[in-house]
Amino acid sequence: MPKNSKVTQREHSGEHVTESVADLLALEEPVDYKQSVLNVAGGAGGKQEAAEEELDAEDRPAWNSKLQYILAQIGFSVGLGNIWRFPYLCQKNGGGAYLVPYLVLLIIIGIPLFFLELAVGQRIRRGSIGVWHYVCPRLGGIGFSSCIVCLFVGLYYNVIIGWSIFYFFKSFQYPLPWSECPIRRNRTVAVVEAECEKSSATTYFWYREALDISNSISESGGLNWKMTLCLLVAWTIVGMAVVKGIQSSGKVMYFSSLFPYVVLACFLVRGLLLRGAVDGILHMFTPKLDKMLDPQVWREAATQVFFALGLGFGGVIAFSSYNKQDNNCHFDAALVSFINFFTSVLATLVVFAVLGFKANIMNEKCVVENAEKILGYLHTNVLSQDLIPPHVNFSHLTTKDYTEMYKVIMTVKEDRFSALGLDPCLLEDELDKSVQGTGLAFIAFTEAMTHFPASPFWSVMFFLMLINLGLGSMIGTMAGITTPIIDTFKVPKEIFTVGCCVFAFFVGLLFVQRSGNYFVTMFDDYSATLPLTVIVILENIAVAWIYGTKKFMQELTEMLGFRPYRFYFYMWKFVSPLFMAVLTTASVIQLGVTPPGYSAWIKEEAAERYLYFPNWAMALLITLIVVATLPIPVVFVLRHFHLLSDGSNTLSVSYKKGRMMKDISNLEENDETRFILSKVPSEAPSPMPTHRSYLGPGSTSPLEPSGNPNGRYGSGYLLASTPESEL
């Protein structure tokens, strides 16, 4: 106690001490306010959760620069899906017509919810578990579900990085190993591998050399040792990138986020110079308007928006939580969303330019093969020479000449035309052949690169780009797991991160079996989609309807220094929840009407065949969905019936120098109580409770009444400038 305080002066006189809080604070000796905590506990022994959370917020790591943060968000949101899923959906769903539902859903769902996640992460400065517990403790299970979904996605996503690593190292040879079918020697006779001859060199290399795939998900076939080694390398790279948190991952982002754009720009220039590139681009932008009204197209567009921006994963919240409080996250949301969409369109231009080139190559090959058939029929008198137009020269047969000849033969030999086995060789048919997901990158695009001059160089660049795109997304995915767990349970960062990588590697061995690709399909197409949709809906409801959109908008105004557009108010409150509810209903109906399945590669037929998941696989799929969503109802029930401690019996006061000195300058005699409660007359009251300390997973929502006699917020009184008190 200071020597000149009223208590010291009167302690020997026997007078009653009536020293005010203002006097005590004014005469307090200088202390280290980051290390000094005043804590009064309502329970035996006292608790210091509030003080610990405050000190943790003060010591929380921060991005070195705004550029590093933006690159991290771009690296997380721009991933492998932008390179192969978006172009595939464009090709499948009407070309340019698909851009309409995608843009609409990006504006009314994607950008508002992306802004919402950026804002809550930056304001509360916690991972997903802490954020959603703070917003509404009864919906605190959202954060745990986000962690589980991140785990599911990370398990198979790193397998894809492993595939890219395998192709990357195989690219350092000429000719590329997937450019020609292998030759097998049967004693003195050399024969082409039958499986390759029936399909293609790139298809054979993908299914047989890389995956060594089994005929169905029920045939395990044992581990593929090549892919097991690549998976180990992938997890080692990811582990080294994230082991130090944003201190290590932030530096990686400078390369992993920017390098893909260099490669895409190079591929775009090279692609536009290829013969037939314009055909591919025009095919992409030619809209099929009937597709715009297809509900399935809108459902797939919404799912792509979720995955493209990383909504619901927790990675966006985790990255944003390392920001300064005054960062303009409103601008960040628009910027990252635009860059994400621009990247998707850029990648689609590159893909369709290259696929246009490939389609012309395949079309010319088709013309040559069918011209040889026609010559054979002419030599055997099956066809008459009169059917061949006089200007047709078989030595220099063009696609136009073949089409004309084909139509004449089809008209004259209408009754026996099918027996001739001639193909129309239309360029549009080649362009319409959609290759889904990994097949687009590892089969179609890879085959096109074999026709490039200096093909190994382009192959090395392409797969190095895929590795970096995947690494950026994996860093965000790992942040969605590690940040909330470390924030909540205070586990050692390095040990927990390494443990996660080791655990994920061993579980990921499921995906490097010979049947592993089928499990990737299960996790990618089904296990994460429905839980992710539920998570995003509940996030929106928690903020807009439980926490309160008006309160949240006022909070954003105080944090940003300006009021966001009213557009966000209506999107959060009405439009986005409605659209997402329809999306969830459509997804459930889709699962019920169309049983989940996968495309299996049948070795004997050298072709794909769509198979339904067997009963045990369906049971596994349902279990995955239940596990991902189970924390939400469990936490709700436990909190509703007070079976889970919420920490409301704690009375904590923590203080910091800056905030206290600011408040005491305007403190009056009759304002002491209001000062203790962090309510200063000169300051407008916050739309959020200013005296509620964030107590971790067990605290009580400001929106839920408490039975504690000290008030609706329990007995936590806060002087520190925590996320709650600064509002």
Side-chain angles (χ1 to χ4, degrees):
M1 182 71 66
K3 293 181 179 180
N4 58 344
S5 72
K6 293 180 182 179
V7 176
T8 304
Q9 295 170 0
R10 301 173 186 173
E11 64 179 344
H12 300 295
S13 65
E15 295 183 35
H16 179 66
V17 178
T18 58
E19 179 150 27
S20 68
V21 174
D23 291 331
L24 286 173
L25 296 177
L27 298 173
E28 186 67 77
E29 294 179 356
V31 296
D32 183 355
Y33 286 93
K34 289 188 177 181
Q35 302 297 327
S36 178
V37 174
L38 171 63
N39 182 74
V40 183
K47 298 183 180 179
Q48 296 187 2
E49 288 93 339
E52 292 173 358
E53 291 292 337
E54 173 61 25
L55 294 175
D56 179 66
E58 278 295 297
D59 297 333
R60 191 173 186 81
W63 299 103
N64 292 336
S65 65
K66 179 65 174 283
L67 175 62
Q68 189 180 79
Y69 164 67
I70 292 296
L71 290 178
Q73 290 288 12
I74 292 172
F76 176 51
S77 64
V78 176
L80 298 173
N82 297 77
I83 302 300
W84 62 49
R85 183 174 175 82
F86 188 89
Y88 160 72
L89 291 174
C90 278
Q91 187 179 29
K92 174 188 174 185
N93 295 320
Y98 174 74
L99 297 179
V100 175
Y102 184 84
L103 271 175
V104 170
L105 293 173
L106 179 65
I107 292 173
I108 67 175
I109 294 181
I111 296 178
L113 295 183
F114 188 63
F115 178 33
L116 184 147
E117 290 198 358
L118 290 177
V120 295
Q122 178 175 310
R123 185 63 193 91
I124 302 172
R125 305 200 73 191
R126 293 292 180 272
S128 57
I129 295 176
V131 161
W132 299 116
H133 169 75
Y134 169 76
V135 172
C136 178
R138 291 183 180 179
L139 292 180
I142 294 175
F144 291 98
S145 289
S146 293
C147 291
I148 295 174
V149 171
C150 278
L151 175 62
F152 288 171
V153 172
L155 287 174
Y156 75 82
Y157 205 88
N158 224 22
V159 174
I160 301 175
I161 298 179
W163 295 342
S164 302
I165 291 173
F166 176 78
Y167 270 79
F168 172 75
F169 285 108
K170 286 290 185 178
S171 299
F172 288 95
Q173 50 187 298
Y174 184 82
L176 292 171
W178 51 82
S179 60
E180 297 177 353
C181 286
I183 304 296
R184 307 298 184 194
R185 290 198 172 274
N186 185 8
R187 295 182 181 179
T188 58
V189 180
V191 295
V192 178
E193 179 67 40
E195 185 179 4
C196 183
E197 189 175 23
K198 292 178 182 178
S199 54
S200 68
T202 50
T203 303
Y204 173 83
F205 187 89
W206 166 241
Y207 283 119
R208 192 54 52 210
E209 296 292 336
L211 301 181
D212 193 19
I213 200 166
S214 60
N215 285 355
S216 71
I217 195 173
S218 300
E219 302 176 23
S220 169
L223 289 177
N224 181 337
W225 69 267
K226 292 178 290 186
M227 288 305 166
T228 303
L229 182 60
C230 290
L231 180 63
L232 178 61
V233 174
W235 275 115
T236 302
I237 295 173
V238 171
M240 289 190 298
V242 301
V243 67
K244 294 293 185 180
I246 63 171
Q247 283 84 359
S248 56
S249 63
K251 296 179 177 62
V252 174
M253 287 297 183
Y254 283 111
F255 181 77
S256 65
S257 296
L258 295 176
F259 178 73
Y261 289 96
V262 175
V263 178
L264 283 175
C266 293
F267 266 100
L268 180 61
V269 173
R270 184 68 187 92
L272 292 176
L273 297 176
L274 294 172
R275 178 170 47 88
V278 176
D279 296 327
I281 294 175
L282 289 177
H283 179 78
M284 185 200 83
F285 283 110
T286 302
K288 299 176 182 177
L289 300 180
D290 58 311
K291 290 284 188 178
M292 291 175 55
L293 303 177
D294 188 350
Q296 177 70 11
V297 174
W298 286 80
R299 187 180 73 85
E300 292 184 346
T303 303
Q304 177 62 16
V305 168
F306 288 168
F307 277 93
L309 294 176
L311 300 177
F313 286 95
V316 172
I317 294 175
F319 282 159
S320 184
S321 70
Y322 299 113
N323 264 334
K324 296 180 180 179
Q325 289 278 320
D326 59 351
N327 175 64
N328 188 352
C329 57
H330 180 270
F331 171 77
D332 298 343
L335 176 64
V336 175
S337 299
F338 170 77
I339 292 176
N340 188 288
F341 177 70
F342 167 77
T343 306
S344 297
V345 174
L346 176 62
T348 304
L349 285 172
V350 171
V351 168
F352 274 86
V354 174
L355 291 183
F357 166 69
K358 173 181 173 287
N360 274 270
I361 295 291
M362 300 306 295
N363 194 56
E364 290 174 358
K365 182 179 178 181
C366 175
V367 168
V368 171
E369 291 176 351
N370 283 271
E372 291 177 354
K373 289 183 182 180
I374 294 175
L375 284 174
Y377 293 144
L378 291 174
H379 293 156
T380 57
N381 296 323
V382 174
L383 294 177
S384 172
Q385 187 68 38
D386 297 337
L387 298 178
I388 309 301
H391 64 275
V392 171
N393 183 357
F394 279 92
S395 299
H396 302 283
L397 188 63
T398 64
T399 302
K400 182 179 179 181
D401 290 341
Y402 173 78
T403 302
E404 182 181 353
M405 185 169 54
Y406 176 86
K407 291 180 179 179
V408 171
I409 296 174
M410 183 175 61
T411 303
V412 175
K413 297 288 185 179
E414 183 177 359
D415 54 338
R416 295 186 301 164
F417 180 77
S418 58
L420 298 176
L422 299 177
D423 299 314
C425 296
L426 298 177
L427 183 62
E428 290 75 14
D429 292 342
E430 289 292 337
L431 292 170
D432 283 334
K433 290 181 180 178
S434 58
V435 183
Q436 183 175 3
T438 54
L440 183 61
F442 294 101
I443 298 177
F445 205 89
T446 304
E447 182 175 355
M449 286 190 297
T450 60
H451 301 286
F452 284 15
S455 55
F457 167 78
W458 293 104
S459 184
V460 167
M461 294 287 285
F462 177 71
F463 289 109
L464 185 58
M465 177 187 70
L466 293 188
I467 293 171
N468 279 276
L469 285 170
L471 179 61
S473 296
M474 275 302 301
I475 289 174
T477 302
M478 289 297 294
I481 300 173
T482 58
T483 298
I485 298 297
I486 292 172
D487 285 348
T488 304
F489 300 105
K490 308 303 178 186
V491 296
K493 181 195 303 180
E494 290 82 2
I495 296 176
F496 179 70
T497 302
V498 172
C500 282
C501 293
V502 173
F503 171 78
F505 167 72
F506 283 106
V507 177
L509 294 178
L510 172 71
F511 303 98
V512 291
Q513 304 176 94
R514 291 183 58 199
S515 59
N517 188 46
Y518 306 138
F519 287 97
V520 171
T521 300
M522 176 191 292
F523 275 68
D524 187 24
D525 292 350
Y526 301 104
S527 68
T529 303
L530 185 58
L532 196 64
T533 307
V534 173
I535 289 171
V536 175
I537 290 177
L538 291 179
E539 287 181 354
N540 198 159
I541 292 175
V543 171
W545 289 92
I546 299 178
Y547 192 84
T549 311
K550 290 183 179 179
K551 294 180 181 179
F552 188 59
M553 289 290 284
Q554 180 61 29
E555 176 185 352
L556 291 180
T557 302
E558 295 183 8
M559 183 175 73
L560 300 175
F562 62 90
R563 188 172 185 83
Y565 298 120
R566 293 286 294 178
F567 163 80
Y568 292 106
F569 178 91
Y570 295 110
M571 293 299 106
W572 290 332
K573 189 78 172 178
F574 305 109
V575 181
S576 295
L578 177 62
F579 269 79
M580 288 187 294
V582 173
L583 172 64
T584 305
T585 304
S587 299
V588 173
I589 294 175
Q590 179 73 16
L591 286 176
V593 173
T594 306
Y598 61 100
S599 293
W601 179 259
I602 309 302
K603 180 178 180 180
E604 293 74 21
E605 301 174 4
E608 291 183 340
R609 183 193 302 171
Y610 189 82
L611 301 177
Y612 294 117
F613 286 117
N615 292 335
W616 66 266
M618 283 297 300
L620 174 61
L621 175 58
I622 294 173
T623 301
L624 292 172
I625 295 175
V626 171
V627 168
T629 54
L630 190 61
I632 297 174
V634 167
V635 172
F636 181 88
V637 171
L638 292 177
R639 290 267 163 78
H640 181 76
F641 292 102
H642 306 289
L643 300 176
L644 185 64
S645 174
D646 58 7
S648 62
N649 63 334
T650 301
L651 172 63
S652 297
V653 179
S654 58
Y655 58 86
K656 293 193 305 181
K657 182 176 181 180
R659 175 64 181 238
M660 188 167 292
M661 293 304 102
K662 173 185 175 183
D663 288 347
I664 197 171
S665 63
N666 291 318
L667 186 63
E668 297 180 1
E669 192 83 3
N670 59 351
D671 287 327
E672 293 172 3
T673 302
R674 302 188 69 174
F675 178 75
I676 294 177
L677 299 179
S678 277
K679 293 181 178 179
V680 183
S682 61
E683 295 180 354
S686 167
M688 294 174 57
T690 60
H691 57 282
R692 175 179 174 270
S693 174
Y694 177 79
L695 301 176
S699 60
T700 304
S701 170
L703 300 169
E704 297 179 3
S706 171
N708 195 298
N710 290 317
R712 71 178 291 193
Y713 305 119
S715 55
Y717 300 97
L718 183 66
L719 273 68
S721 59
T722 60
E724 295 84 345
S725 63
E726 285 184 352
L727 291 173

